Amino acid sequence: MKFAWIDLRAVPQTQLESIVDAAIHTRMQGVLCDDEAVLAALPPTVTGVTTTVVTEEKELYDLGADTAAWVDVHDEPSLRLACEAAVALPLTVVRFADPTKIPLEIVLAAADRSAGKLITVCADLEEAATVLEVLERGSDGVLLAPSDAGEVFALARLLEAGTSPLELTTLTVDRIEHHGLGDRVCVDTCTHFAEDEGILVGSYSTGFILCCSETHPLPYMPTRPFRVNAGALHSYVLGPENRTNYLSELRSGSTTLAVNAEGRTRPVTVGRAKLESRPLLTITARSADGIVVSLAVQDDWHVRVLGPGGKVHNVTELRRGDELLGYLATDQRHVGFPIGEFCKEN
């Protein structure tokens, strides 16, 4: 679990009480403050942290029974010191002088197999979001001096960010219908999909089919492991936090959800949404309890969907009785949000 310390040392007195209350409410792991009275008033769920200066480049953070080293990285010797501390100590706080994240990558790599925790000083929430994802692992914790209580709550949401696994279901193909021209969307992401990954797309808000990425080899053209030929522009695509978008709404910088055949998920950034007119076909499938799932896709052999075990199906070769992987959602949708209202989709 990622965690955060709140730095109160530079917080204006007028904001102090509300920020402390927010830190307590959001269960921040630690509060850094030089005022013993503030620390004494903290509940046992929040650790009070004080500092002791050792040199210009090093401090010790006193957490009662524990001590965390602090290193200011601004050149190669201080970077080596940060690496050594991160390897040897249970807690290391590092502040980087330059905006590049290369020194953080080096410290993370050096401490990759150590049991200690690395805490990185961040100037703002945007930097905290970046720091938590560097090298896919990210810093274990962040130290932030918030300007107000709102930033504490925003930081808490950032720490909770992540995607939960989904319980995929097996769908049985009922029929395939071929249509004329329509507009379909290729979702080009800023990630490399695994062979059993794709995105969940459907014509109805209550059911989605797992559309395969173009990671698998194809004749006549190179693989495009960043792309999912997803479906007609009206289709819903499932994103993080149980939100949906229409494929037509995706833009460069949008976030959607990569899902693998076992239901593991991760957020991915859209680099481009590519809309073109192509012949379409509709896949209609049913769950074991009779829920109908529909998906309109490009009518071409190289468009693929996934079945149980990550089996790859070319959509033009699907037959009645074939099994696909899908996801059933019990809620209807209003502007992408799940909502418990009556809505019939045909």
Side-chain angles (χ1 to χ4, degrees), residues 149-195:
E151 287 197 353
V152 179
F153 287 103
L155 179 59
R157 291 192 295 271
L158 184 62
L159 295 172
E160 293 171 356
T163 56
S164 301
L166 297 173
E167 185 176 348
L168 300 182
T169 190
T170 298
L171 304 171
T172 302
V173 174
D174 189 40
R175 65 182 184 275
I176 302 293
E177 299 171 280
H178 298 267
H179 309 298
L181 281 178
D183 293 335
R184 69 95 174 99
V185 178
C186 283
V187 181
D188 292 348
T189 69
C190 302
T191 194
H192 191 298
F193 284 95
E195 291 186 351

Side-chain angles (χ1 to χ4, degrees), residues 248-279:
S248 64
E249 294 174 336
L250 296 183
R251 300 285 185 272
S252 178
S254 298
T255 302
T256 191
L257 201 63
V259 184
N260 78 354
E262 296 179 355
R264 290 195 300 270
T265 67
R266 60 188 176 101
V268 294
T269 301
V270 176
R272 169 180 55 241
K274 188 166 176 255
L275 186 147
E276 295 165 313
S277 293
R278 295 289 188 269

Side-chain angles (χ1 to χ4, degrees), residues 112-147:
D112 185 52
R113 289 175 171 80
S114 64
K117 300 295 185 182
L118 183 72
I119 303 165
T120 303
V121 179
C122 297
D124 50 37
L125 288 167
E126 184 176 357
E127 184 178 15
T130 301
V131 159
L132 291 169
E133 294 184 342
V134 168
L135 284 189
E136 298 185 35
R137 165 191 162 180
S139 180
D140 299 296
V142 296
L143 174 64
L144 180 72
S147 59

Side-chain angles (χ1 to χ4, degrees), residues 246-321:
Y246 296 119
L247 286 175
S248 64
E249 294 174 336
L250 296 183
R251 300 285 185 272
S252 178
S254 298
T255 302
T256 191
L257 201 63
V259 184
N260 78 354
E262 296 179 355
R264 290 195 300 270
T265 67
R266 60 188 176 101
V268 294
T269 301
V270 176
R272 169 180 55 241
K274 188 166 176 255
L275 186 147
E276 295 165 313
S277 293
R278 295 289 188 269
L280 300 179
L281 64 80
T282 295
I283 305 165
T284 302
R286 293 179 184 270
S287 67
D289 52 359
I291 296 176
V292 177
V293 178
S294 175
L295 174 63
V297 296
Q298 181 180 345
D299 189 346
D300 196 282
W301 180 81
H302 78 279
V303 181
R304 294 160 161 177
V305 290
L306 288 171
K311 183 178 179 180
V312 178
H313 294 272
N314 304 315
V315 295
T316 53
E317 295 179 349
L318 286 173
R319 298 293 180 265
R320 182 183 175 90

Side-chain angles (χ1 to χ4, degrees), residues 40 75 81 87 129 157 206 208 222 224 264 271 291 311 321 330 335:
D75 56 15
L81 180 62
V87 169
R157 291 192 295 271
T206 51
F208 306 83
R224 294 179 172 89
R264 290 195 300 270
I291 296 176
K311 183 178 179 180
T330 58
V335 293

Side-chain angles (χ1 to χ4, degrees), residues 320-339:
R320 182 183 175 90
D322 285 344
E323 292 186 337
L324 306 179
L325 281 176
Y327 176 69
L328 302 179
T330 58
D331 299 305
Q332 301 298 329
R333 301 282 163 169
H334 182 65
V335 293
F337 289 99
I339 183 172

